[in-house]
Amino acid sequence: MRKKIMYSFPDEVLEHVFSFIQSDKDRNAVSVVCKSWCEIERWCRRKVFIGNCYAVSPRMVIKRFPEVRSIELKGKPHFADFNLVPDGWGGYVLPWIVEMAGAYPWLEEIRLKRMVVTDESLELIAKSFKNFKVLVLFSCEGFSTDGLAAIAAGCKNLRELDLRESEVDDLSGHWLRHFPETCTSLLSLNISCLGSDEVSVSALERLVGRCPNLKSLRLNRGVTVDKIANILHRAPQLVDFGTGSYSAELRPDVLLNLAGAFSCCKELKSLSGFWDVVPAYLPALYSVCSRLTSLNLSYATIQNPEIIKLVSNCPNLQRLLVLDYIEDSGLEALASSCKDLQELRVFPSDPFGAEPHVSLTEQGLVAVSLGCPKLQSVLYFCRRMTNAALVTIAQNSPNFTRFRLCIIEPKTADYLTLEPLDVGFGAIVEHCKDLRRLSLSGLLTDRVFEYIGTYAKKLEMLSVAFAGDSDLGLHHVLSGCESLRKLEIRDCPFGDKALLANAAKLETMRSLWMSSCTVSFGACKLIGLKMPRLNVEVIDETEPPDSRPESCPVEKLYIYRSVSGPRFDMPPFVWTMDEERKVMH
Amino acid sequence: MPNMELQLGLALPTPNMIKGFDLNNHRLDHLKQRGCFSNKSKRSFEQAFGNFKQDGKTKTLLLWSGQPNEEEDHKDQKKTTFSTIDDNDDEEVEQVVGWPPIKTWRKKIFNQPNGVGGIENNRVADKENGRSIYVKVKMEGVAITRKVDIRLYLSYQTLSNSLITMFSKDKKCGDDDSTRYILTYQDKEGDWLIAGDIPWQSFMRCVQRLKIIRNRD
């Protein structure tokens, strides 16, 4: 008798069930249950997230998932944001677009972060995907307004065009005119990164006017405050609005119109922009303040009392981005007015100044942690800190998922006790059991890493600079942090021992970045040799690493796991430690 | 010339006035009575000041004595180098690549949004890294024209203080103690305006030349 294998459901039913499973983690779990589930799942996976574009090749993705509609790719390492990754390093999207153009004619969404996108890529997107809907270019570069014109003209059903924080070669404001009159499908348009040159405001007004579902609109600095009213009148349904330059010659009629336009936007919950703020125009916002959940004032050089006045009128605020002009007093006001606050980011107005010119200290953050019980995510630039403050903050806010503290001067000690800040950060990782992301600063010894290795079990991303005493510090992190995916380190005395002892750990992570540390060229070669599933890349802009003794430390190294071997698009200053290809690029 | 008071008048408001540079109260009260401007401004006095009484206080001219505010040091002036590694650093702040970790475009908030290209008549810019923008400064009655790097200043206040220091050496004995001066600038269209009317960032973008003139009220 033949054994008959009975499936509980036919494939179509399973596929239907799987269609409710959206998250990557769950989908991945489903696909390892058994071979048939893997097979069914891969045919119906519509969305793929690739955290490192070099971890896998486009062909491999297409081969496994033939029916993808939405793809997200990330390119350069995070430290590229701070100029630590030289130009030309890589992260090119064109090879992906070329492969997908053939394989995914029904692709609808492309989301890219820190990738190099060319006009050619954009033109190919416009030509190849008939039902293209969403293009998000987050911190990308390499393209111009010509490429945008191609997208505008070619994508008949475009819903979302989001260029946040990208660097665009702004050749002409007229690209907006390339949206055909028949385009009425826009939901979201973010052009805030475009240069100060005039974008065609009339084209913008017409576009906004004919897209009744437009929910999110972020203008660029070239649009002045006197133009806003006309735009808002055409889009009173907006939920998220980014002003351009909040500046113009002060005229009472403009102010009145603006106030009127804002008051018509009953759904408005999120505001940003505010370059070059003329404070006299701020009262125009008061009618929307009570509904605001998100406010980004981080480009606005306004000070107190204007800032306090604004935030005090926003009781429903969940997210605030602001410059340190808010000062401790403003943060205290925030703590008493905004009990729903979940995310706070305070940026420095004068990052390179030697002396503080604003009174923003550890006290401000303590106040917010005390007054805002829902606080989960913090990015805070300041000039002084104490262990006591950090301990208090940790105790007040056990719900932190992201904590990034940047004390501006490297290796700054606790200003009261002159001790390292090990204990303070130790309290953070001990109390905040759900902490996923942490950035350290100040004077820190190996001890802080011992705390992190012991307590930070859910930590996924750690950023370290100017910290630690020895390899022991790195060893604590690599051996203790079970959930670690991304580790980025600069200017720390971490060398070969910890890395070699924990090489296997690197295969469980997305990537490791180390620059200005003491990892030797020899160690890099050894890891490259022993770990074929890791790409070990050495960046050296001065000379080939093998022109020096093996014991010499490398300038920068980037190690990441990959199933497709070393990449072939490395520039001259990047060297792979691949065993087969030896040291070459 | 210890008793000479060199006072520079600015138009208002000055939205970027930074607390740390505030004059002490005594001077602020004195300021409130001031309200004089030359007739070279593009707008009338009423237009310039009529709308700025929201809080019930009229914000008026900034005046200060020949000595820059005691609380400030020149150390406070903004450093504009971004990406240099200094080994033998005798400056106040060590400039390290990529530190503090702020995205490049955020740094541009305080600078020109677009790099200023080429060399213009009165305004010299370093195109490669957009760092310095030198603007000529002429003071009435002083033969020498000086130059300042606009990018070094965070606000009208810091600029004025620096100018006072720069020119107090040049002051002729003939002027009496209470001579007041006004800081004016030439914008991109060639018009001469009183400094202080527009937000600092906009001012940085359009200022071509500076001139300190006597207030002939």
Side-chain angles (χ1 to χ4, degrees):
Chain A
M1 248 195 2
R2 251 186 352 181
K3 246 191 184 173
K4 218 174 167 190
I5 299 170
M6 294 287 292
Y7 292 107
S8 34
F9 301 108
D11 289 2
E12 295 78 23
V13 176
L14 278 171
E15 204 176 302
H16 182 68
V17 172
F18 293 167
S19 70
F20 294 100
I21 299 171
Q22 304 288 346
S23 100
D24 290 326
K25 272 200 188 141
D26 293 341
R27 282 253 167 188
N28 291 344
V30 160
S31 61
V32 296
V33 167
C34 61
K35 277 194 183 143
S36 67
W37 278 37
C38 185
E39 189 63 18
I40 298 167
E41 192 281 319
R42 76 181 189 89
W43 279 95
C44 67
R45 191 174 304 208
R46 297 282 177 261
K47 213 169 165 188
V48 177
F49 168 78
I50 293 158
N52 175 4
C53 64
Y54 292 119
V56 63
S57 71
R59 292 230 175 120
M60 283 169 123
V61 176
I62 290 166
K63 191 169 175 212
R64 178 156 175 210
F65 301 115
E67 298 280 345
V68 165
R69 298 271 188 275
S70 162
I71 190 160
E72 182 173 348
L73 287 163
K74 294 189 181 180
K76 299 186 205 173
H78 174 236
F79 273 176
D81 285 353
F82 315 128
N83 292 334
L84 287 175
V85 177
D87 276 343
W89 174 88
Y92 305 103
V93 80
L94 186 60
W96 287 86
I97 308 292
V98 167
E99 296 285 348
M100 293 191 301
Y104 296 149
W106 298 111
L107 190 69
E108 293 177 4
E109 305 181 354
I110 295 176
R111 292 178 172 84
L112 306 174
K113 188 169 183 181
R114 279 189 216 103
M115 294 199 76
V116 178
V117 181
T118 54
D119 285 347
E120 188 188 349
S121 307
L122 293 176
E123 282 152 23
L124 196 53
I125 291 172
K127 243 184 2 196
S128 315
F129 308 116
K130 298 296 166 212
N131 204 21
F132 196 68
K133 293 191 175 130
V134 171
L135 183 63
V136 177
L137 303 176
F138 190 163
S139 265
C140 295
E141 52 165 354
F143 61 102
S144 78
T145 43
D146 286 352
L148 297 178
I151 295 285
C155 303
K156 310 280 180 234
N157 293 318
L158 196 65
R159 293 222 187 121
E160 202 174 316
L161 179 60
D162 184 343
L163 308 173
R164 61 174 80 167
E165 300 182 27
S166 290
E167 223 175 281
V168 184
D169 204 357
D170 203 344
L171 301 174
S172 151
H174 294 293
W175 69 272
L176 268 175
R177 293 187 202 281
H178 288 258
F179 278 107
E181 292 299 314
T182 48
C183 172
T184 59
S185 49
L186 272 184
L187 295 181
S188 169
L189 180 64
N190 180 351
I191 53 172
S192 54
C193 63
L194 292 184
S196 262
D197 291 342
E198 293 284 326
V199 83
S200 170
V201 178
S202 55
L204 185 60
E205 280 176 13
R206 283 198 307 279
L207 179 62
V208 168
R210 63 177 183 269
C211 293
N213 297 318
L214 191 68
K215 292 280 187 289
S216 170
L217 175 66
R218 296 191 183 191
L219 306 173
N220 69 322
R221 205 168 177 175
V223 180
T224 46
V225 78
D226 48 328
K227 309 269 186 355
I228 292 179
N230 278 341
I231 294 171
L232 284 182
H233 277 303
R234 281 162 222 247
Q237 75 283 0
L238 280 178
V239 173
D240 166 45
F241 181 62
T243 74
S245 167
Y246 208 66
S247 158
E249 199 181 296
L250 186 65
R251 283 167 37 201
D253 57 319
V254 171
L255 179 58
L256 270 173
N257 282 344
L258 188 61
F262 269 118
S263 65
C264 289
C265 297
K266 305 287 184 204
E267 312 291 325
L268 201 53
K269 293 212 169 61
S270 164
L271 281 178
S272 59
F274 300 110
W275 285 280
D276 321 309
V277 177
V278 169
Y281 278 115
L282 286 174
L285 301 172
Y286 290 164
S287 61
V288 303
C289 281
S290 59
R291 288 188 289 270
L292 279 185
T293 56
S294 170
L295 182 57
N296 183 350
L297 293 173
S298 64
Y299 320 134
T301 51
I302 53 170
Q303 296 171 51
N304 293 328
E306 280 89 15
I307 304 180
I308 295 184
K309 193 155 185 191
L310 259 182
V311 303
S312 306
N313 279 317
C314 302
N316 292 310
L317 208 56
Q318 292 171 16
R319 188 167 181 260
L320 177 66
L321 281 67
V322 72
L323 289 171
D324 57 8
Y325 291 135
I326 193 172
E327 298 193 318
D328 290 340
S329 55
L331 290 173
E332 279 154 29
L334 181 69
S336 56
S337 309
C338 305
K339 295 304 184 185
D340 282 346
L341 196 70
Q342 293 172 20
E343 181 176 351
L344 174 67
R345 299 193 191 196
V346 181
F347 295 96
S349 54
D350 181 24
F352 306 109
E355 301 291 323
H357 65 264
V358 291
S359 178
L360 180 100
T361 69
E362 79 282 5
Q363 296 305 321
L365 189 54
V366 171
V368 179
S369 74
L370 194 57
C372 303
K374 298 187 187 170
L375 194 62
Q376 272 180 19
S377 172
V378 167
L379 170 60
Y380 200 75
F381 284 82
C382 61
R383 289 171 190 272
R384 70 177 208 200
M385 188 51 61
T386 64
N387 283 309
L390 281 171
V391 171
T392 306
I393 290 165
Q395 288 168 341
N396 290 336
S397 307
N399 297 323
F400 276 161
T401 52
R402 291 189 284 268
F403 186 73
R404 291 189 281 167
L405 178 66
C406 179
I407 304 167
I408 289 177
E409 184 64 29
K411 304 197 189 177
T412 303
D414 176 324
Y415 77 93
L416 290 179
T417 65
L418 300 183
E419 283 172 7
L421 292 170
D422 300 334
V423 168
F425 279 105
I428 295 282
V429 291
E430 190 183 344
H431 290 274
C432 306
K433 309 231 185 283
D434 292 324
L435 196 68
R436 292 194 313 260
R437 185 169 180 186
L438 178 65
S439 295
L440 306 172
S441 60
L443 182 64
L444 296 164
T445 72
D446 284 346
R447 235 177 121 203
V448 72
F449 299 108
E450 196 182 340
Y451 291 133
I452 292 172
T454 306
Y455 293 110
K457 296 304 182 188
K458 299 249 179 92
L459 192 67
E460 296 178 8
M461 182 171 177
L462 179 65
S463 307
V464 186
F466 305 102
D469 308 311
S470 73
D471 273 56
L472 202 50
L474 180 56
H475 174 71
H476 284 309
V477 171
L478 288 176
S479 58
C481 296
E482 290 159 8
S483 311
L484 196 63
R485 293 189 297 116
K486 289 179 280 183
L487 180 57
E488 47 186 24
I489 301 172
R490 62 164 295 176
D491 293 275
C492 296
F494 298 150
D496 299 345
K497 286 202 216 96
L499 214 49
L500 292 172
N502 293 282
K505 170 75 173 174
L506 299 179
E507 267 188 19
T508 69
M509 292 165 53
R510 183 187 296 172
S511 65
L512 167 69
W513 168 281
M514 291 178 76
S515 56
S516 305
C517 297
T518 50
V519 180
S520 73
F521 176 55
C524 293
K525 277 206 297 188
L526 194 55
I527 298 175
L529 180 70
K530 297 285 186 197
M531 316 284 300
R533 284 182 301 210
L534 290 179
N535 282 356
V536 180
E537 293 180 9
V538 168
I539 297 173
D540 196 324
E541 291 180 271
T542 50
E543 56 185 352
D546 57 2
S547 64
R548 295 190 296 268
E550 283 206 357
S551 55
C552 275
V554 297
E555 203 178 281
K556 299 173 186 177
L557 78 96
Y558 186 51
I559 301 178
Y560 57 91
R561 64 181 177 187
S562 176
V563 293
S564 58
R567 56 188 178 113
F568 292 94
D569 61 358
M570 283 175 289
F573 53 81
V574 177
W575 312 82
T576 183
M577 306 290 110
D578 180 64
E579 202 255 316
E580 279 168 21
R581 295 169 60 193
K582 301 299 173 195
V583 177
M584 61 180 287
H585 61 85
Chain B
M1 303 174 268
N3 292 329
M4 182 212 44
E5 271 209 350
L6 181 65
Q7 295 168 327
L8 285 174
L10 298 181
L12 286 176
T14 54
N16 300 314
M17 208 169 80
I18 295 166
K19 270 211 180 121
F21 295 141
D22 262 355
L23 305 176
N24 56 46
N25 287 335
H26 142 78
R27 288 190 192 137
L28 271 177
D29 288 340
H30 177 57
L31 281 189
K32 282 179 185 162
Q33 273 90 58
R34 301 290 306 156
C36 52
F37 287 88
S38 84
N39 47 18
K40 287 186 186 175
S41 66
K42 277 191 171 174
R43 297 178 293 152
S44 74
F45 180 95
E46 273 67 44
Q47 254 193 308
F49 297 98
N51 296 321
F52 296 122
K53 290 187 178 145
Q54 293 124 286
D55 304 321
K57 316 179 250 182
T58 313
K59 295 174 193 163
T60 53
L61 261 190
L62 280 178
L63 296 175
W64 54 92
S65 72
Q67 307 307 317
N69 193 311
E70 277 135 27
E71 279 126 43
E72 297 169 68
D73 291 344
H74 287 291
K75 287 193 292 184
D76 292 347
Q77 284 174 8
K78 180 174 77 164
K79 301 281 189 280
T80 54
T81 50
F82 295 124
S83 312
T84 52
I85 302 177
D86 282 358
D87 290 330
N88 303 311
D89 203 331
D90 46 19
E91 292 199 300
E92 305 294 344
V93 175
E94 213 174 289
Q95 297 300 323
V96 178
V97 177
W99 191 265
I102 301 169
K103 294 179 183 178
T104 320
W105 56 264
R106 274 199 186 275
K107 295 172 191 169
K108 287 184 186 158
I109 298 166
F110 305 100
N111 292 334
Q112 299 249 333
N114 295 315
V116 178
I119 296 180
E120 294 159 9
N121 213 356
N122 298 307
R123 196 177 152 101
V124 177
D126 181 355
K127 190 183 184 182
E128 275 195 44
N129 42 33
R131 283 183 197 173
S132 306
I133 295 187
Y134 286 97
V135 171
K136 289 186 187 168
V137 189
K138 181 100 178 52
M139 178 159 177
E140 198 172 352
V142 176
I144 302 170
T145 300
R146 298 188 185 276
K147 272 199 308 192
V148 287
D149 179 356
I150 281 287
R151 287 237 177 138
L152 289 180
Y153 304 101
L154 291 164
S155 65
Y156 289 109
Q157 179 95 34
T158 49
L159 172 64
S160 304
N161 284 339
S162 190
L163 292 176
I164 290 170
T165 310
M166 210 184 285
F167 283 101
S168 41
K169 311 163 198 161
D170 296 316
K171 217 36 214 82
K172 290 191 177 133
C173 304
D175 281 349
D176 65 43
D177 283 352
S178 58
T179 307
R180 285 180 179 78
Y181 290 80
I182 293 170
L183 180 63
T184 64
Y185 71 101
Q186 187 180 39
D187 70 6
K188 278 180 180 164
E189 286 132 33
D191 296 307
W192 283 95
L193 306 167
I194 292 177
D197 246 3
I198 58 175
W200 176 254
Q201 279 77 34
S202 311
F203 172 77
M204 274 210 295
R205 255 180 279 154
C206 69
V207 60
Q208 303 298 302
R209 275 197 287 178
L210 290 169
K211 197 168 183 192
I212 303 171
I213 59 174
R214 288 192 195 97
N215 182 3
R216 290 183 181 84
D217 234 44

